[in-house]
Each structure stands twice: as C-alpha cells, then as structure tokens.
Amino acid sequence: GKLELAIRLLRRMQEVGLKPDVYSYNAVLSACQDAEDWQMGLAIFEEMKKQSIMPDIYSYGAVILSCSLAMQWEWAVNL
C-alpha cells in the first residue's frame, strides 16, 4: 500500500546518496497516519531526529494523531 511505497522511496533515496529532508519524512509520517500504523510513525519520527532533521509542526501532528487514533496517548504525550 501507500505506506510500503513511501518507506521504499525513503530507503531508496538513502541508498542512492540523497539526504531525505523534513518533507520526505513527513510524507512517510502521513502514510503511517493513513495506514493507522502508530508504531511505524514513532519509529520514522525517531529516525528523522537521529538524522538531525528537525521535525516540524506537521511531523508532530501526524505522529500525535496516529498515536491518538490508536489510543496510545502516553506515546503522544512523551514526544
């Protein structure tokens, strides 16, 4: 689906030496939100921070919404 494609594209960018930016990561976070995969959303969010990419308001919003839809409030609160 959309999430798998978004992750594949992100990984492919990294493989060919392109540095994904906040917009690239936000696209994946959006796909995580649409797929209701809050755990992958958190993992991608943490990855972007480890890559020294500053999450923006959209990044936070996508992860918080994913967590809240899954009733995982404690994760959302601890971002």
Side-chain angles (χ1 to χ4, degrees), residues 32-58:
C32 291
Q33 177 184 324
D34 291 345
E36 298 180 11
D37 191 338
W38 65 275
Q39 292 169 313
M40 180 59 72
L42 284 174
I44 294 295
F45 187 81
E46 289 303 317
E47 177 184 318
M48 74 186 290
K49 293 194 303 185
K50 286 180 184 168
Q51 296 294 323
S52 299
I53 298 170
M54 181 67 72
D56 62 12
I57 193 165
Y58 185 84

Side-chain angles (χ1 to χ4, degrees), residues 6-78:
I7 291 171
R8 274 201 322 262
L9 289 172
L10 182 71
R11 299 295 176 237
R12 185 70 181 136
M13 287 177 70
Q14 295 165 329
E15 288 170 7
V16 299
L18 297 173
K19 182 174 168 56
D21 59 13
V22 68
Y23 303 106
S24 306
Y25 277 98
N26 283 349
V28 179
L29 292 173
S30 176
C32 291
Q33 177 184 324
D34 291 345
E36 298 180 11
D37 191 338
W38 65 275
Q39 292 169 313
M40 180 59 72
L42 284 174
I44 294 295
F45 187 81
E46 289 303 317
E47 177 184 318
M48 74 186 290
K49 293 194 303 185
K50 286 180 184 168
Q51 296 294 323
S52 299
I53 298 170
M54 181 67 72
D56 62 12
I57 193 165
Y58 185 84
S59 312
Y60 280 97
V63 176
I64 290 169
L65 183 57
S66 293
C67 289
S68 66
L69 289 172
M71 301 304 220
Q72 300 295 323
W73 297 102
E74 61 279 359
W75 291 100
V77 169
N78 290 315

